[in-house]
Amino acid sequence: MARLTKDQILKARNANGGSVHVEELGGEVGLRLLSMRESNAFAQESDGMSGEDATLLYAAYLIADDAGNRMFDDHHELADLPAKTLMRITAEGNKLNGISDEEIEAEAKNS
């Protein structure tokens, strides 16, 4: 297997994420792979937020258009979606981004 070049590695930041079928919305919701910068920004921005706001913000970071771009800059736009829908989106986002249930529980205990 060949070693990757700098350009090939940096292009990975634009890698396709995935999607999740959300029955109650009638289709697929695109999901993004978060960069380290985005993960850190989310952590800083969500620090001190209520659980509801943090979930909405995380969903806003995850939900993507076909080009992999964020669709929601204002996470409050998602507030009227069913909790079940948002939990499905964020659970799939966790899987996609390699975040385990154990890490989530540990973070919750440290908050």
Side-chain angles (χ1 to χ4, degrees):
M1 184 178 294
R3 289 192 186 191
L4 297 173
T5 66
K6 178 181 177 180
D7 288 339
Q8 289 170 317
I9 291 169
L10 293 176
K11 284 182 185 176
R13 68 178 151 207
N14 298 322
N16 290 334
S19 65
V20 59
H21 182 76
V22 182
E23 186 67 35
E24 56 272 26
L25 297 180
E28 298 284 317
V29 173
L31 299 174
R32 304 175 68 239
L33 287 171
L34 300 182
S35 69
M36 187 51 124
R37 182 174 295 153
E38 290 166 325
S39 292
N40 288 336
F42 167 74
Q44 289 179 348
E45 196 173 342
S46 64
D47 188 37
M49 280 187 170
S50 69
E52 176 184 323
D53 271 347
T55 298
L56 293 171
L57 180 63
Y58 186 49
Y61 267 84
L62 291 170
I63 297 172
D65 62 19
D66 288 339
N69 300 310
R70 276 181 68 172
M71 293 176 69
F72 296 96
D73 291 324
D74 179 1
H75 63 279
H76 293 104
E77 291 181 272
L78 300 168
D80 290 327
L81 288 176
K84 173 182 167 180
T85 300
L86 291 166
M87 296 313 288
R88 181 174 297 126
I89 290 168
T90 56
E92 286 299 316
N94 287 344
K95 289 179 195 174
L96 179 68
N97 284 283
I99 301 169
S100 69
D101 291 339
E102 292 80 19
E103 290 172 303
I104 294 167
E105 289 171 17
E107 182 63 32
K109 287 178 184 176
N110 292 329
S111 300

